[in-house]
Amino acid sequence: MFARRKKTEEKGGIVETIKTIVYALLIAAVFRTLFFQPFWIPSGSMKDTLLIGDFLFVNKMAYGYSRYSCPFAICPISGRIFASEPKRGDVVVFRHPVNGSDFIKRLIGLPGDTVQVRGGVLYINGTEVPQADAGTFDETLAPQGPMGSLPRCANSPVGQGGTCEKRRLRETLPNGVTHDVLDIDPNGFADNTDVYTVPEGHYFFMGDNRDNSEDSRFSQAVGGVGMVPAEYLVGRADRIMFSSAGRSLLYFWTWRPDRFFKAVE
C-alpha cells in the first residue's frame, strides 16, 4: 500500500513538473510575442551604434503587431493592429520581405519621401542631410563574434591585432535625430545612388556603417532589402542589455561592461 502511494505521488510530481515547464514556455512565448524579443547583433552593419555581440531586447509594442510579430510569422493577423508610426531615426528590427530573416537598421525614409546618396552624403527630399566630422572609430583587427568575421578598415592593409580605422561622421536627420555613421571607402559602391521614392505603407532603411550594409539602397533582386512594407516591422531597439566581443558568452574577458544597459541612439 505504501509503495503504491509513493508511486502515485512520484507520478503526480512528474505531471506537476511537466505542467510547470509548459506554463513557463507559454508565458515566455507570450512575453516574446507581445512585449520584448531578444536579439543578438550578428554583423557590423550598424557600427558604431551597435557592435557585433551586442545583446538587446526589441520593444514589440512600439509599432503594433502583425503576423511577423510571432515566431515563424504564425500570428493570424492581417496588416497591423494597434499600429503606431515609427519615427525617422529609429533603430528598427524588421523581417526581410523575401528570405524571412531578421534585420536591424536605421529608419531613414518615410512613406512619400525621396532618398538619395551622392558622394557619400545622404539627401532626403532633395535636401542634404548635414554631417559633421567626429574623428575616427578605432577597433582591433581580429575575429569578431561567433562567426569570427573581420572588420573592414579605411586604413587597409592592417595586420592582425593592428588598429582598424574608419572615418566617423555625426549625421543630423531632418527631425533633429543625430547619430554616428562610418565611412570606410570615400568612393564606395553605394556612395552614389539613384533617387528612391518610398511608396505608401513602406519604409527605407540604411545601416550606420554605410559602406558595409545590405539595406534599402539595394533591391531584393540583388540580395538587398529594398523598400520594407509596414507589416514586416518587428519592433524598436531601445537599449543594449549585454555585450561580448568573443565567440562565446563564457569568454568573460571579452565582455564589454561599458555597453551594458546602454541606450540605442
Side-chain angles (χ1 to χ4, degrees), residues 41-53 104-105 137 139 144 147 149-152 166 182 184 207-214:
I41 302 300
S43 75
S45 69
M46 281 295 292
K47 291 179 181 178
D48 65 342
T49 303
L50 298 172
L51 304 181
I52 295 174
I104 185 165
K105 307 289 179 185
F137 171 70
E139 57 185 336
Q144 297 180 345
M147 293 186 294
S149 55
L150 292 173
R152 290 179 59 199
K166 300 173 185 62
L182 301 183
I184 302 171
D208 290 347
N209 192 359
R210 291 284 166 80
D211 292 325
N212 192 34
S213 174
E214 294 180 5

Side-chain angles (χ1 to χ4, degrees), residues 8-97:
T8 301
E9 288 175 352
E10 288 178 351
K11 185 177 180 180
I14 292 172
V15 170
E16 288 303 313
T17 300
I18 293 173
K19 282 183 179 180
T20 300
I21 293 172
V22 170
Y23 291 152
L25 290 174
L26 287 173
I27 291 170
V30 170
F31 184 86
R32 184 185 186 280
T33 299
L34 296 180
F35 302 110
F36 297 96
Q37 175 180 326
F39 190 84
W40 283 99
I41 302 300
S43 75
S45 69
M46 281 295 292
K47 291 179 181 178
D48 65 342
T49 303
L50 298 172
L51 304 181
I52 295 174
D54 283 349
F55 174 78
L56 47 86
F57 282 104
V58 178
N59 180 356
K60 302 185 80 169
M61 300 175 285
Y63 310 131
Y65 305 95
S66 74
R67 59 180 291 196
Y68 299 102
S69 299
C70 291
F72 312 110
I74 61 174
C75 284
I77 300 172
S78 178
R80 295 194 76 84
I81 60 174
F82 309 118
S84 179
E85 287 297 313
K87 297 178 181 178
R88 195 192 312 276
D90 284 356
V91 176
V92 180
V93 171
F94 58 88
R95 198 71 60 88
H96 191 288

Side-chain angles (χ1 to χ4, degrees), residues 16-248:
E16 288 303 313
T17 300
I18 293 173
K19 282 183 179 180
T20 300
I21 293 172
V22 170
Y23 291 152
L25 290 174
L26 287 173
I27 291 170
V30 170
F31 184 86
R32 184 185 186 280
T33 299
L34 296 180
F35 302 110
F36 297 96
Q37 175 180 326
F39 190 84
W40 283 99
I41 302 300
S43 75
S45 69
M46 281 295 292
K47 291 179 181 178
D48 65 342
T49 303
L50 298 172
L51 304 181
I52 295 174
D54 283 349
F55 174 78
L56 47 86
F57 282 104
V58 178
N59 180 356
K60 302 185 80 169
M61 300 175 285
Y63 310 131
Y65 305 95
S66 74
R67 59 180 291 196
Y68 299 102
S69 299
C70 291
F72 312 110
I74 61 174
C75 284
I77 300 172
S78 178
R80 295 194 76 84
I81 60 174
F82 309 118
S84 179
E85 287 297 313
K87 297 178 181 178
R88 195 192 312 276
D90 284 356
V91 176
V92 180
V93 171
F94 58 88
R95 198 71 60 88
H96 191 288
V98 175
N99 63 32
S101 58
D102 287 334
F103 274 58
I104 185 165
K105 307 289 179 185
R106 190 176 298 276
L107 176 55
I108 296 296
L110 302 173
D113 283 345
T114 61
V115 180
Q116 185 181 24
V117 181
R118 300 204 303 260
V121 178
L122 178 64
Y123 288 78
I124 298 177
N125 297 323
T127 301
E128 179 180 339
V129 175
Q131 293 181 337
D133 184 76
T136 61
F137 171 70
D138 299 336
E139 57 185 336
T140 301
L141 185 70
Q144 297 180 345
M147 293 186 294
S149 55
L150 292 173
R152 290 179 59 199
C153 311
N155 58 328
S156 291
V158 178
Q160 285 269 350
T163 300
C164 177
E165 299 177 356
K166 300 173 185 62
R167 184 185 178 205
R168 179 162 49 196
L169 299 156
R170 191 71 171 166
E171 189 172 79
T172 303
L173 297 173
N175 60 345
V177 173
T178 60
H179 61 100
D180 288 343
V181 297
L182 301 183
D183 181 24
I184 302 171
D185 183 353
N187 298 301
F189 59 93
D191 281 343
N192 292 281
T193 71
D194 295 332
V195 177
Y196 304 100
T197 299
V198 186
E200 194 63 33
H202 291 68
Y203 298 96
F204 190 99
F205 291 93
M206 293 177 68
D208 290 347
N209 192 359
R210 291 284 166 80
D211 292 325
N212 192 34
S213 174
E214 294 180 5
D215 49 41
S216 294
R217 291 172 291 176
F218 310 98
S219 71
Q220 296 160 10
V222 296
V225 170
M227 307 294 177
V228 179
E231 66 177 312
Y232 287 84
L233 304 188
V234 174
R236 185 182 64 221
D238 290 333
R239 190 171 296 276
I240 299 163
M241 304 304 295
F242 178 83
S243 185
S244 173
R247 287 178 174 267
S248 168

